[in-house]
Amino acid sequence: MRPVLTIALMIAAAGCDGTFDMPKGGAAFPGLEGSTTHRDAALTECVARSPSTVLPTRVRRLSQSEYQRSVEHLLGGPVDTGIVFPPNQIVDGYDNDVDVNRVTGLLTSTLFDGVGALAQRAASSVACADDACARAALDAFAARAYRRPLSDEERSDLSQVYDDARTDADPRDALAAAYSVVLQSPEFLYVTELGEDATSAAPGSVVVLTAHEIAAELSYLFTGAPADAALRRAADTGAILDPDERERQALRLIQTDAARAMFGKFAAEWAEVASVEDKTKDATAFPEWSQLKAAIAEETRSFVSAVILSGTPRDLFTADWTVAPDSVVTAFGLGPKGADGRSALPPGMRAGILTQRSVLAAHAGVVDDSPIKRGHFVRSRLLCQPISPPAPTLQITETPTDPTLTVRERVTRHTSGAACQGCHSQMNPIGFGFSGFDAIGQQRATDRGKPVDATGKLEHTDVDADFDGLEALGALLAESEQARACFAEQWFRFAHGTALTTESERYGFAESTKEFTRGEQPILAMILSLVRSDMFTTRCKTE
Amino acid sequence: MNRRRFLQALGVSAASLPFFSLLESSAVEAATPRPMRLLCLLAGYGGSWAHLRPPGISRTTPELALTKELLTFDQSVLEPLKAYAAKMLLIEGIAQKGALQNGTLYSDHFAYASTAFTGSLAQRGSPWLPRSASIEQVLGERLGAGTPVRSLQVGIGSNPGLSDQVTLSYNASGQQLPAIRDPAQLYRQLFGNSGGTVVSSPTPNTALVAKQRRDLSIANALNKSAKRLNARLARAEQRKLDDHLAALADIEARLQGGASNEPNLYPPITCDSPTPPAAAFLQDVPTITNLQFDIITQAFACDRTRFIVADWGINADPRPDVLPDITDLHNDVAHAIDSSDPAVSAKAHADMAKLQRWQAQQLAKLLDRFAQTPDGDGTLLDNTLVVWTSDFGVTTHSGLNVPHVLLGGAQNKFRMGRYLNVAPQAPASWYNDAIPFMPANNSLLVSICRAFGLDVSTFGEPEWSGPLAGLV
């Protein structure tokens, strides 16, 4: 193996810059970092008074994919919109942050230039020869797009566009002009969570979302698409305001392929494997990587989806099965696929998310595994204890690596400085537990000819212990309330596009997910209980 | 590549606008028919001054004329650009002061990225953020009227999750703006779904006028809708819609003939649709460089945009095309540069120089393209300023003496064809004690703004003000 030069990180100033806070397990923990949502005093007080309401009134922009699905929904079939949104910005590992994903100047002009063709297509399928018919079609189209009935003002504005166009065009062509407005209107592009009368509610008061807003929330969360006919009916009649009805609708949506894809997306973002297919691995050491990477990414999406749909947090950390494409089953000699799509895992790999190959490969280098990245993964994604990057006042000196050292030995040596240990003592002992797995997630018994040492240590959690290997680590995490609470918070982050940042929000959320955190409540039950709750249907009015 | 025909659009309202200066003090020369363009490229991980600086230049040489001969020496980084020696300005002595922390200029990629083109103080965080806008944003806002895309951030082959993929573009609130990394996406953003621009020739005026009227009606309705929604939002939420509202207002104003404040001073250009790019793996730096450079050239030529910043990946994963034995550029090369072992350091310098030399080759091809593209009375090269820089300077993670290479004709706003040391008084060590003697990159940004006709004396952090001495 070619010797690889590595770095010795010597942090000149005193260790981590003080933003790393490790509260004892069980108590409230820092929560996910990076949220940019404004939290004003009125909001904080509102949440404190009404803990089940943890979100502020807000709007969010449709994502590229939601826009695509929404346009298809309106046009009644598959369509290449040709509209390219700005690339999503990743915050906390999730690409749907409600604050940073905006309608940029670029997107505005792209839409302006691009929706004409879509509007023509939509109008051409309308069989209208006169104005009355066209106006009715316009009203229906806009109401579908805006996800609610139109206001008089909106109707009048669209009518104006129709009339203007009508001076030199036939009804269908004029309709296309009005449709152009709808397909790029802010009312279409932004999903609102404002309640019925946004302006009159006092700042700091709790507002109830409209039935249509709730329907949109439900459908975009579980299917990434607008409400279907059944859900629209539940919104029109107001039935969606009833928690039982909401749960019924949610369960119905969750059975769809679209929901499976959404859970898979959550899986990839939560586990930081969304870009594992972009990772380069040494072609000499791992010639199979380029064939393998897509399949193992698919495996993790399927596995986590399956656990969400029918499992518990315990399964997340200790499952002795996986759901994998045939190529993976064959390549690694997994057990034959059962009727439920599951394959049994061999001994040593029975630790759920921890032994998912894509997780191991994503948190590794080109040639070598990375105890640091894996330890960081457990801390930040499974325990919600983020660790800040090193302080900028670092001096980097390079030392040639002894090629006979194992990865564990090398990392230990290079992070042994007192200033490094501030952060690395929180990550490395966990990451060393992953030593039995190489850079593409294959099990190994030796590293550079020496037997693998996969002993590790969990500290600053509610399940502190020494452990040996990932199955032992998984067993510990399966007992951890902190890990369960973290998972719930990760789900929240994915579902609502924002982090919980204040004490009162975290308290409110913890209250709402109490049963899940403490017991063995299945994951799906937790998700549905949130759908049933006020968290789903109310917001605190901001200033 | 399609042969482009440049047409003057006849009878379009913009062409009949009176020529008037939008500038407070500096006059737009009425004889300049084409706008000046800006392309800023930041290629990470610093480089090797020893291979950049022509031999014979001492620490205190204030300036030296560049010639082909001077740029030709062993492992010279700039040699591939020697044909453009007269249109090159190699600037030594700039410090990225926005990344200062407690008097030390030793920071990380993201801190430098947040200050390189903003001149702002880099705010520590995850991510590092500036407090003000980047230069292409500012120029786009002031001078981008009439182009479909006022300004842009492009990504060229950088690797996500590694420190060579950085954000260089920020709005006025210091928020990150997205980069377009996929050439197919860049093409679509700039040339639209239909691939064309306003009209193809010949087109009867009536159709154009009718389209404009319809577009105006649509824009008007959109503006009403946006304002209505905005009124329902809390203050903090309204900020989210700022860019959207501004863009809608912009579109409406443009359609109204660019009436009051924002005329397009330049006659519009229409182009045939350029060829869409082939699909490519986004971390294939050579291919992506070629594709993105091509689209940028065409976008400038067709006046689809005028102001671009780009992060140019050197790709910390293996670069077999340039450095066949290196598997980890970040660690094996960039961090080996400041090794205490002189042999290791020397090799790292040489390797980094090889990489920069490769970049210079790509830039030479880009300048060739610019030089072959007619633009008004001259060429695109005459009317473009390219700024090629990095995050690191004298050594890895140091913001001292970050190299800045200016290229292009830049409408003769700068005296090109020179090596320029803007900190000849700085101590030889280029360490923290040199900082007071070194201008901040802010000064360069001020000078660039002035070259574009904006009369400013600060850019970004006002503490470091004034233009960069010696450029004009």
Side-chain angles (χ1 to χ4, degrees):
Chain A
M1 175 87 54
R2 193 176 342 153
V4 175
L5 294 174
T6 54
I7 317 157
L9 267 175
M10 289 185 355
I11 299 179
C16 292
D17 55 47
T19 59
F20 181 66
D21 178 23
M22 298 294 290
K24 286 295 173 188
F29 46 88
L32 300 173
E33 57 187 346
S35 169
T36 50
T37 297
H38 175 74
R39 301 295 207 260
D40 58 31
L43 171 62
T44 306
E45 266 180 45
C46 170
V47 175
R49 269 182 281 113
S50 170
S52 53
T53 308
V54 301
L55 288 165
T57 50
R58 63 200 193 155
V59 296
R60 69 173 189 84
R61 190 206 72 191
L62 289 177
S63 71
Q64 164 105 61
S65 141
E66 288 170 336
Y67 182 82
Q68 174 74 31
R69 302 286 299 282
S70 303
V71 169
E72 286 179 346
H73 184 78
L74 284 169
L75 267 55
V79 63
D80 175 14
T81 65
I83 309 290
V84 181
F85 277 48
N88 292 322
Q89 289 191 257
I90 314 293
V91 181
D92 295 336
Y94 299 101
D95 73 358
N96 64 350
D97 188 280
V98 298
D99 285 323
V100 306
N101 289 310
R102 304 181 174 194
V103 180
T104 58
L106 194 55
L107 178 57
T108 308
S109 55
T110 303
L111 285 162
F112 197 82
D113 291 338
V115 298
L118 295 171
Q120 285 290 346
R121 187 170 142 171
S124 67
S125 65
V126 170
C128 269
D130 64 56
D131 288 342
C133 171
R135 285 187 210 284
L138 175 57
D139 200 89
F141 187 80
R144 283 278 287 270
Y146 300 175
R147 299 170 284 269
R148 55 168 171 74
L150 264 56
S151 71
D152 291 337
E153 270 181 305
E154 287 164 347
R155 192 170 290 114
S156 148
D157 284 349
L158 287 174
S159 223
Q160 184 70 58
V161 175
Y162 177 83
D163 292 340
D164 286 345
R166 195 71 179 84
T167 59
D168 55 17
D170 64 23
R172 194 175 285 182
D173 203 27
L175 194 55
Y179 278 9
S180 294
V181 176
V182 172
L183 287 167
Q184 59 183 307
S185 167
E187 304 295 351
F188 178 44
L189 297 173
Y190 296 103
V191 180
T192 62
E193 296 176 15
L194 298 172
E196 184 64 56
D197 194 353
T199 40
S200 71
S205 63
V206 175
V207 307
V208 181
L209 298 182
T210 68
H212 292 96
E213 286 177 328
I214 294 168
E217 194 187 357
L218 206 58
S219 72
Y220 281 115
L221 169 55
F222 290 117
T223 68
D228 60 12
L231 191 53
R232 278 204 308 279
R233 252 191 322 273
D236 289 336
T237 59
I240 199 80
L241 295 160
D242 167 37
D244 291 336
E245 174 65 19
R246 215 155 48 244
E247 181 173 355
R248 263 197 297 280
Q249 292 285 348
L251 269 168
R252 182 176 67 81
L253 296 175
I254 281 166
Q255 308 308 324
T256 62
D257 287 341
R260 203 161 300 266
M262 288 302 276
F263 291 132
K265 180 173 191 282
F266 166 72
E269 292 180 332
W270 167 56
E272 297 182 321
V273 302
S275 57
V276 72
E277 295 177 60
D278 293 332
K279 288 202 82 79
T280 310
K281 301 287 178 183
D282 186 278
T284 319
F286 307 115
E288 67 272 49
W289 172 247
S290 57
Q291 305 296 342
L292 188 62
K293 52 191 184 173
I296 62 175
E298 178 56 38
E299 178 188 3
T300 300
R301 287 195 292 270
S302 305
F303 168 69
V304 174
S305 296
V307 175
I308 289 175
L309 287 172
S310 58
T312 64
R314 174 169 296 281
D315 294 324
L316 275 176
F317 304 119
T318 62
D320 58 2
W321 53 272
T322 185
V323 178
D326 290 337
S327 57
V328 172
V329 173
T330 317
F332 297 102
L334 304 182
K337 260 193 208 174
D340 50 12
R342 300 182 184 187
S343 304
L345 289 166
M349 287 207 72
R350 296 168 180 161
I353 191 71
L354 299 172
T355 44
Q356 281 286 306
R357 260 166 268 271
S358 70
V359 172
L360 297 165
H363 298 93
V366 174
V367 166
D368 284 321
D369 53 301
S370 172
I372 298 171
K373 286 184 183 158
R374 290 159 175 190
H376 184 269
F377 164 72
V378 173
R379 278 292 176 204
S380 68
R381 306 312 277 175
L382 303 185
L383 294 167
C384 293
Q385 293 170 325
I387 301 180
S388 300
T393 51
L394 47 76
Q395 269 169 16
I396 300 154
T397 53
E398 165 279 329
T399 55
T401 305
D402 180 344
T404 65
L405 293 181
T406 64
V407 170
R408 180 176 183 140
E409 288 168 337
R410 192 188 334 142
V411 167
T412 304
R413 185 176 289 200
H414 287 152
T415 60
S416 57
C420 308
Q421 279 298 300
C423 291
H424 280 279
S425 63
Q426 312 304 333
M427 295 186 283
N428 296 7
I430 300 178
F432 290 144
F434 288 78
S435 297
F437 294 86
D438 69 12
I440 65 166
Q442 292 172 136
Q443 283 200 74
R444 61 179 179 196
T446 63
D447 180 13
R448 277 128 176 112
K450 301 180 196 169
V452 152
D453 173 6
T455 56
K457 192 180 178 67
L458 257 187
E459 282 183 304
H460 302 293
T461 71
D462 56 340
V463 288
D464 290 353
D466 293 336
F467 64 90
D468 186 347
L470 290 182
E471 289 180 358
L473 176 58
L476 288 169
L477 292 174
E479 298 297 323
S480 164
E481 284 194 4
Q482 191 174 337
R484 284 178 222 133
C486 178
F487 184 80
E489 192 166 319
Q490 297 280 353
W491 170 255
F492 175 89
R493 181 66 183 77
F494 172 78
H496 295 288
T498 188
L500 302 161
T501 53
T502 65
E503 277 308 309
S504 44
E505 287 164 24
R506 283 201 290 277
Y507 173 76
F509 185 73
E511 279 299 296
S512 299
T513 49
K514 212 159 37 185
E515 190 190 335
F516 180 77
T517 305
R518 290 203 191 132
E520 297 284 345
Q521 186 186 37
I523 297 174
L524 188 58
M526 179 268 288
I527 290 174
L528 289 172
S529 77
L530 290 176
V531 168
R532 293 181 63 90
S533 76
D534 284 349
M535 187 174 311
F536 210 75
T537 58
T538 63
R539 299 288 182 267
C540 276
K541 173 86 192 286
T542 47
E543 302 197 83
Chain B
M1 203 190 302
N2 287 336
R3 192 165 53 88
R4 280 181 292 279
R5 288 179 293 118
F6 295 97
L7 308 169
Q8 293 290 323
L10 299 172
V12 177
S13 53
S16 60
L17 278 179
F19 247 99
F20 60 94
S21 171
L22 56 74
L23 308 165
E24 291 79 21
S25 65
S26 165
V28 170
E29 297 146 76
T32 311
R34 297 304 309 148
M36 189 148 76
R37 280 61 146 219
L38 177 68
L39 171 61
C40 293
L41 293 153
L42 189 144
Y45 301 5
S48 174
W49 268 108
H51 297 86
L52 198 58
R53 192 192 297 119
I57 290 177
S58 81
R59 259 307 278 108
T60 53
T61 308
E63 70 174 81
L64 192 68
L66 290 176
T67 62
K68 284 187 194 175
E69 295 69 36
L70 210 60
L71 294 175
T72 309
F73 56 92
D74 185 38
Q75 297 172 74
S76 158
V77 164
L78 294 174
E79 186 185 347
L81 284 161
K82 65 185 181 206
Y84 296 100
K87 296 194 197 296
M88 180 189 301
L89 201 49
L90 169 60
I91 305 175
E92 173 152 28
I94 289 179
Q96 308 289 74
K97 292 189 180 176
L100 270 169
Q101 300 274 317
N102 304 321
T104 303
L105 203 45
Y106 199 86
S107 194
D108 79 36
H109 307 276
F110 305 98
Y112 291 122
S114 74
T115 190
F117 301 117
T118 64
S120 174
L121 281 178
Q123 319 287 301
R124 173 104 62 86
S126 179
W128 287 80
L129 291 172
R131 301 197 289 209
S132 54
S134 46
I135 190 165
E136 93 294 349
Q137 278 291 298
V138 171
L139 292 175
E141 206 163 310
R142 298 292 300 276
L143 303 169
T147 58
V149 180
R150 277 178 177 268
S151 62
L152 210 48
Q153 182 180 205
V154 175
I156 307 178
S158 49
N159 211 325
L162 290 172
S163 41
D164 71 347
Q165 183 170 101
V166 291
T167 298
L168 301 170
S169 177
Y170 299 88
N171 67 11
S173 314
Q175 298 186 309
Q176 293 180 323
L177 294 170
I180 305 182
R181 305 187 180 283
D182 180 348
Q185 187 178 349
L186 182 63
Y187 173 86
R188 283 160 100 176
Q189 294 283 23
L190 288 166
F191 294 98
N193 201 23
S194 57
T197 58
V198 178
V199 294
S200 54
S201 165
T203 304
N205 278 345
T206 47
L208 191 69
V209 167
K211 181 177 193 306
Q212 199 152 329
R213 197 171 56 223
R214 177 177 289 203
D215 282 350
L216 186 54
S217 169
I218 290 170
N220 185 255
L222 289 172
N223 270 289
K224 285 200 202 131
S225 174
K227 286 182 188 134
R228 239 188 338 254
L229 178 62
N230 203 49
R232 295 169 66 199
L233 301 179
R235 257 201 319 275
E237 284 288 291
Q238 287 179 337
R239 278 203 319 255
K240 269 179 0 194
L241 269 60
D242 278 350
D243 285 348
H244 191 184
L245 260 67
L248 284 174
D250 206 32
I251 289 175
E252 190 168 3
R254 251 195 291 141
L255 287 164
Q256 275 163 351
S260 52
N261 46 356
E262 298 251 57
N264 180 3
L265 297 176
Y266 305 97
I269 279 179
T270 55
C271 291
D272 287 348
S273 338
T275 321
F281 176 52
L282 293 186
Q283 275 81 56
D284 174 358
V285 177
T287 303
I288 297 294
T289 300
N290 195 37
L291 292 174
Q292 300 288 56
F293 276 3
D294 191 45
I295 296 170
I296 287 171
T297 305
Q298 292 178 102
F300 277 171
C302 298
D303 210 20
R304 303 298 286 172
T305 191
R306 297 171 187 159
F307 311 107
I308 297 179
V309 295
D311 66 298
W312 194 1
I314 65 168
N315 194 339
D317 285 339
R319 285 295 307 278
D321 55 316
V322 185
L323 296 172
D325 297 323
I326 308 290
T327 54
D328 190 344
L329 272 169
H330 186 204
N331 298 328
D332 293 0
V333 181
H335 282 304
I337 274 185
D338 53 0
S339 168
S340 48
D341 179 338
V344 170
S345 175
K347 176 166 191 307
H349 273 96
D351 285 341
M352 189 57 87
K354 259 193 224 155
L355 205 58
Q356 290 181 292
R357 201 184 151 93
W358 177 86
Q359 290 171 11
Q361 284 164 352
Q362 310 318 305
L363 282 173
K365 285 191 256 182
L366 178 65
L367 297 186
D368 287 344
R369 273 186 267 216
F370 283 179
Q372 286 151 18
T373 304
D375 195 49
D377 301 333
T379 68
L380 190 56
L381 184 65
D382 296 334
N383 295 319
T384 301
L385 173 64
V386 178
V387 179
W388 174 32
T389 184
S390 185
D391 45 8
F392 300 156
V394 63
T395 186
T396 308
H397 282 284
S398 167
L400 292 151
N401 200 14
V402 173
H404 288 78
V405 180
L406 272 51
L407 295 162
Q411 294 185 347
N412 298 316
K413 295 297 198 298
F414 296 136
R415 269 191 306 128
M416 305 295 262
R418 295 177 296 145
Y419 160 87
L420 182 66
N421 179 351
V422 295
Q425 313 294 328
S429 65
W430 290 118
Y431 198 54
N432 294 328
D433 53 346
I435 292 175
F437 301 98
M438 304 172 71
N441 56 314
N442 302 49
S443 303
L444 177 61
L445 298 172
V446 168
S447 291
I448 293 175
C449 283
R450 290 192 175 190
F452 277 84
L454 300 190
D455 184 30
V456 297
S457 54
T458 64
F459 193 92
E461 186 60 33
E463 184 184 339
W464 308 300
S465 63
L468 192 61
L471 284 184
V472 300

